[in-house]
Amino acid sequence: MRIPEELLHFIWRFQLFRPFHLQTSCGKSVEVISPGRYNVDAGPDFLFSELLIDKQRWYGHVELHVESKEWMLHRHHQDPAYNSVILHVVWTGDSSCYLSDGTWIPNLILNNQVEEGLLGKAMDLLHNGNWLACAYRMKHIPMHVKLQAIQRSAVERLESKTMQIMTLLERYNGDWERVTLSLIAGSFGFKVNKQAFLDWSELISLRILSKISDKPLQIQAMFFGQAGYLNAYKGKDSSVLNLKNEYHFLKHSNGLSEMTSFQWKFLRMRPYNFPTLKMAQLAGLYSLHINWFSRILNVYAIEDLKQEIRDIVIPTFWRRHYHFEKCTDDHNTALTEAFLDILAINCFAPLLFAYGKHIRQANYMDKAMEWLERIAAEDNVISRNYRKAGLPSYSAMESQGLIHLQSNYCDVKRCLSCPIGAYILQQPLSF
């Protein structure tokens, strides 16, 4: 039976083979003192291993393949990066293997050293038809193992977002306020208008925004004008015409450019999520503060930051409108608590975490995770499906972990890299 190479890595990493009387294909005894550090980057699979081969102590790297001939097929014999390999661990085969300097290295064949029951459990886990491969064992998994899987995935998700933020930081020449505007704008766009809000944020000048920071009307005019809404307006409402006049002045005095209004999507959206109303709220946010990154850094509790945002002022025009052209019944224009949580989850906490990692200050990273732990878990299809399967979430930190777990582990069957899958395979065969 051919096994996945990932399973062979797992067996070696956790030493799930008979440890006694191990011998290389040429008859040399092998004792594993340390299997080495698992390497997920280029190079040998396990680094800094410690072995006794024929009672002689060796320190070096270990390479694993399902078939011994893969050493030559992968051209490791021509790669100096593999010259520190001291043992070639394989599932089957006895092809001779050499380093680039011609040194012969021994093969350790494991297919007769692993219990059949372990292979059966692994195949059950990797090839069953459940959307969640471990669902059939979930009720037997201790809570601490479940939490480990969720929490590790949550941190990995923050690390992934940090990489995206670092890309933005490089693009904006180290300007954290510029990065913050981009992230906030993307959050206001939700999925449907996220790209449009990101394109719009590219046009906004923080220098000009700082000059008009005490003039909410001009901020509204600048935001809506550069979004292309004011050019498209053909009505006669005095408040909108006033915005058009303000934008005309700002545009010609500062050389502003704008988007076209057809880039914004309204179809099949709830009116409260129309990009026009969200833009009015975003303008209210930046009328309250221009330097939101500084606010995020200096606020201690996420609730204090959310309370500040609750105080933003939206022009009364928007109490009777969802967009510029049509009047509606009176409605609330305040940001909902659910949306404040979205801002905290997708913008504020990742920014804090990324900044802390960038300057190597763990206190910011810890504060970001604490903020996520104080926000209720998101209620979406992913969190509901995991709850039904026996993996509930109680905070945004945990629901974010589940999102990452699904896309990076469960959907792609990386069970052997997940604490839950590892726990299942390491239990006695009767488990």
Side-chain angles (χ1 to χ4, degrees):
M1 176 177 63
R2 182 178 174 86
I3 66 171
E5 187 168 303
E6 184 185 13
L7 177 55
L8 184 59
H9 290 178
F10 184 88
I11 290 170
W12 178 259
R13 183 181 180 185
F14 295 103
Q15 301 185 64
L16 301 178
F17 47 81
R18 300 182 187 96
F20 305 111
H21 309 299
L22 291 176
Q23 286 189 334
T24 66
S25 56
C26 61
K28 293 184 177 183
S29 64
V30 176
E31 182 179 344
V32 181
I33 307 301
S34 169
R37 175 168 61 83
Y38 188 37
N39 178 31
V40 296
D41 298 316
D45 295 316
F46 287 83
L47 307 178
F48 315 116
S49 306
E50 184 179 352
L51 309 172
L52 286 179
I53 301 178
D54 240 11
K55 301 190 183 303
Q56 181 178 347
R57 193 173 297 269
W58 289 79
Y59 298 92
H61 308 326
V62 173
E63 178 69 5
L64 288 83
H65 288 116
V66 176
E67 297 184 41
S68 59
K69 65 182 180 181
E70 293 175 69
W71 177 275
M72 304 295 282
L73 291 175
H74 295 171
R75 301 185 183 279
H76 295 330
H77 63 294
Q78 298 175 347
D79 189 347
Y82 288 80
N83 278 351
S84 295
V85 170
I86 57 175
L87 183 66
H88 187 212
V89 177
V90 302
W91 187 249
T92 186
D94 190 23
S95 300
S96 296
C97 303
Y98 300 90
L99 304 180
S100 65
D101 62 4
T103 302
W104 173 85
I105 58 170
N107 289 321
L108 173 63
I109 303 172
L110 283 185
N111 63 354
N112 292 321
Q113 301 296 329
V114 177
E115 296 287 348
E116 282 291 332
L118 173 64
L119 298 180
K121 283 205 301 183
M123 294 302 112
D124 285 346
L125 183 62
L126 295 174
H127 299 297
N128 71 64
N130 296 320
W131 76 269
L132 182 61
C134 58
Y136 73 111
R137 290 290 186 189
M138 190 61 71
K139 66 180 180 180
H140 302 294
I141 306 298
M143 183 54 68
H144 75 272
V145 176
K146 297 179 184 179
L147 287 176
Q148 181 188 2
I150 296 172
Q151 290 169 357
R152 191 184 74 172
S153 290
V155 174
E156 286 182 6
R157 184 164 175 81
L158 283 171
E159 296 277 5
S160 176
K161 289 184 176 183
T162 293
M163 293 177 63
Q164 298 170 15
I165 291 171
M166 289 300 105
T167 300
L168 286 175
L169 188 66
E170 183 178 358
R171 178 178 179 179
Y172 295 134
N173 299 314
D175 189 341
W176 283 96
E177 291 293 352
R178 184 88 223 168
V179 172
T180 302
L181 172 60
S182 179
L183 291 182
I184 290 177
S187 296
F188 270 80
F190 299 99
K191 287 184 178 180
V192 176
N193 282 296
K194 180 176 182 178
Q195 189 57 53
F197 268 96
L198 291 175
D199 293 342
W200 167 87
S201 71
E202 292 285 317
L203 302 175
I204 298 299
S205 166
L206 289 178
R207 179 184 59 81
I208 298 172
L209 201 52
S210 296
K211 288 169 58 177
I212 61 175
S213 60
D214 60 342
K215 299 178 176 63
L217 182 64
Q218 290 192 1
I219 292 176
Q220 290 269 340
M222 181 176 169
F223 279 28
F224 281 114
Q226 294 199 266
Y229 292 121
L230 299 181
N231 276 350
Y233 182 70
K234 305 301 181 185
K236 297 182 179 180
D237 188 285
S238 59
S239 59
V240 183
L241 295 177
N242 196 17
L243 286 178
K244 290 189 71 168
N245 290 334
E246 290 288 347
Y247 180 63
H248 181 79
F249 171 77
L250 286 169
K251 177 179 179 178
H252 290 282
S253 60
N254 294 284
L256 302 180
S257 57
E258 62 268 345
M259 300 168 61
T260 53
S261 59
F262 66 79
Q263 292 177 251
W264 302 93
K265 298 178 177 64
F266 292 82
L267 191 63
R268 290 190 291 275
M269 292 187 67
R270 295 177 179 177
Y272 192 77
N273 291 334
F274 279 2
T276 38
L277 179 57
K278 304 316 289 184
M279 186 65 75
Q281 294 170 337
L282 183 55
L285 188 71
Y286 272 85
S287 297
L288 185 63
H289 292 299
I290 298 300
N291 300 316
W292 276 102
F293 178 67
S294 297
R295 295 301 306 155
I296 293 167
L297 289 188
N298 294 322
V299 170
Y300 174 73
I302 185 59
E303 184 55 37
D304 294 339
L305 190 60
K306 289 164 68 175
Q307 185 55 51
E308 285 190 42
I309 299 173
R310 292 187 188 101
D311 294 337
I312 66 173
V313 176
I314 313 297
T316 55
F317 172 86
W318 293 104
R319 291 193 65 86
R320 298 294 302 277
H321 294 81
Y322 288 110
H323 53 70
F324 284 108
E325 303 296 340
K326 184 179 179 181
C327 188
T328 65
D329 294 335
D330 190 83
H331 56 261
N332 189 10
T333 59
L335 293 170
T336 64
E337 291 301 310
F339 185 72
L340 292 177
D341 286 344
I342 288 173
L343 280 177
I345 293 167
N346 295 327
C347 179
F348 303 155
L351 272 168
L352 259 185
F353 189 91
Y355 181 71
K357 190 172 182 65
H358 182 63
I359 66 170
R360 300 181 181 180
Q361 291 286 335
N363 57 310
Y364 290 112
M365 301 167 70
D366 291 341
K367 185 163 74 167
M369 291 187 283
E370 181 184 341
W371 282 6
L372 291 175
E373 287 167 353
R374 290 184 175 275
I375 298 171
E378 300 151 276
D379 182 23
N380 51 40
V381 172
I382 293 174
S383 62
R384 288 194 292 271
N385 284 341
Y386 274 107
R387 186 182 303 118
K388 290 177 184 177
L391 208 58
S393 55
Y394 300 100
S395 70
M397 185 75 174
E398 293 177 353
S399 58
Q400 284 285 291
L402 292 179
I403 292 171
H404 187 83
L405 194 67
Q406 174 172 308
S407 59
N408 291 273
Y409 290 88
C410 302
D411 286 352
V412 292
K413 297 291 185 181
R414 288 183 59 210
C415 306
L416 302 181
S417 298
C418 171
I420 294 174
Y423 179 85
I424 290 173
L425 292 192
Q426 291 181 80
Q427 295 311 296
L429 296 179
S430 59
F431 175 75

